[in-house]
Amino acid sequence: MSRIAQKRQNTSIAELARHCGLAEGTISRALNNYPDIALKTRERVQQAARELGYRPSSTARRLARGVVETVGFVLPGRKDHLSDPFLSEILDGLAAELSANDWDLLLAAVPDDHDEIDVMDRLLRAGKVGGFAVTRVRRKDPRIEYLRNAAIPFVAYGRTEKHNDYSWLDIDNEKAFVDAVAYLADLGHRRIALLGGDLQMNYAWLRRQGFIKGLQAKGLEVRDDYVIDNVRVDLGAREAVERLLALDEPPTALVCITDSVAIGAMHALQRAGLKPGRDVSIIGYDGLPIGTVMEPALTTMSQATYEAGRQIARMLLKQTASQNSEISQVLWEAKLTPRASAYPPAG
């Protein structure tokens, strides 16, 4: 290790005080921007800290502020979460932004015979977290109610039906599916089906509503047999596609609740001897990188999942910095990303 690197690593507040010729108490107050320290002194101390690579003890800082600088994230109570590309993108963004601000991310799994609230309560009572990030929000979500009552900072990626009194970041799921249907209708499709999700999840409910509104806006029939809910990846998508293809008038286009479901539908079409994009058009939702390497490449409604993770972290940090911080509610839009899986109907 070089002498400079070693100095940066080992600089203490006492050494910083000796370097500046000031008392340790003055150094501490200057670093924390106390107004009783002259502005020029604060600037000089902070500049010296940057040059010497001084980093305050996280333990001391946490004790002084009374804040646990760790955000808790309870992994969804299902076995496939570690292979969920959406979840990975969110966690990458969340961890990156927290790390840049010297905070930590604590991931906790749900044991058998427990639920997410049990795990949240254990982390909170043990004093291990200073806030929570929540995803996969249900229309009526007991986790949100628990966190409200616990009076701990939290930000949800998604909204419940009643969402006026807590902080959230969400994508306009309804508009995204209105836009997806409009794109297919403008290509000439008149028989458009939905491979939807679990309607307890608010994003799935809103996307379903957007699908129906999109059909109505284009003067297209809303057919019950063209709407399949609770579609899961792979086998569920295969069964849904087989069911649609068996209809007297099978759809010429599919709008899918996620990219993962869309990819499962593409595989199902290929098993049936059909070519996605040519015989049946497909649009997904998420904008996952895997969509670009599919054959054909997947048309999708893209959301900035990684950046959403970073934004959630910023919103959480703002909450923890002040007990009187205002509720933040942010609504982004998904962006249509046209690729080869959606074309005008064959013939």
Side-chain angles (χ1 to χ4, degrees), residues 27 44 48 111 126 140 145 147 197 207 235-236 243 266 271:
I27 293 291
R44 179 164 70 89
K140 293 180 174 62
E145 191 64 28
L147 291 170
R207 292 175 197 178
L235 184 60
R243 177 172 151 190
M266 291 173 73
R271 284 178 59 91

Side-chain angles (χ1 to χ4, degrees), residues 130-313:
F132 282 99
V134 180
T135 63
R136 305 291 190 191
V137 177
R138 302 171 184 89
R139 294 166 67 189
K140 293 180 174 62
D141 200 315
R143 298 172 302 167
I144 301 296
E145 191 64 28
Y146 168 80
L147 291 170
R148 279 198 194 105
N149 294 333
I152 185 171
F154 74 96
V155 177
Y157 186 35
R159 300 166 280 169
T160 50
E161 287 181 331
K162 296 180 180 179
H163 51 261
N164 296 328
D165 59 349
Y166 63 93
S167 294
W168 49 261
L169 167 67
D170 201 4
I171 311 298
D172 194 337
N173 290 285
E174 184 174 296
K175 182 179 184 301
F177 273 54
V178 170
D179 291 346
V181 170
Y183 180 72
L184 291 169
D186 290 345
L187 288 175
H189 292 277
R190 295 295 175 265
R191 302 200 304 272
I192 305 172
L194 171 69
L195 300 191
D198 179 355
L199 296 183
Q200 294 184 71
M201 311 303 291
N202 202 39
Y203 73 86
W205 173 258
L206 291 172
R207 292 175 197 178
R208 189 185 200 271
Q209 297 301 105
F211 174 79
I212 293 171
K213 287 185 178 180
L215 292 176
Q216 293 171 338
K218 290 296 182 178
L220 301 179
E221 180 184 3
V222 180
R223 294 180 48 162
D224 290 341
D225 55 354
Y226 278 11
V227 177
I228 302 179
D229 298 311
N230 297 307
V231 177
R232 295 294 185 93
V233 179
D234 205 17
L235 184 60
R238 175 181 167 183
E239 292 174 348
V241 169
E242 289 174 350
R243 177 172 151 190
L244 290 169
L245 293 179
L247 295 173
D248 291 337
E249 288 185 309
T252 63
L254 307 177
V255 180
C256 299
I257 189 71
T258 64
D259 282 353
S260 297
V261 167
I263 290 168
M266 291 173 73
H267 290 156
L269 289 171
Q270 290 163 346
R271 284 178 59 91
L274 301 175
K275 181 175 176 59
R278 183 192 66 192
D279 298 315
V280 180
S281 289
I282 294 185
I283 293 184
Y285 181 103
D286 276 330
L288 299 177
I290 191 174
T292 63
V293 298
M294 294 300 298
E295 180 56 44
L298 178 62
T299 299
T300 185
M301 301 300 299
S302 299
Q303 58 174 329
T305 312
Y306 174 81
E307 182 54 39
R310 299 201 73 136
Q311 178 64 21
I312 289 167

Side-chain angles (χ1 to χ4, degrees), residues 65 67 151-153 165 167 315-328:
R65 294 183 59 213
V67 174
I152 185 171
D165 59 349
S167 294
M315 293 165 69
L316 258 172
L317 292 172
K318 183 178 179 181
Q319 277 192 54
T320 59
S322 171
Q323 292 182 346
N324 299 318
S325 62
E326 295 182 358
I327 291 172
S328 298

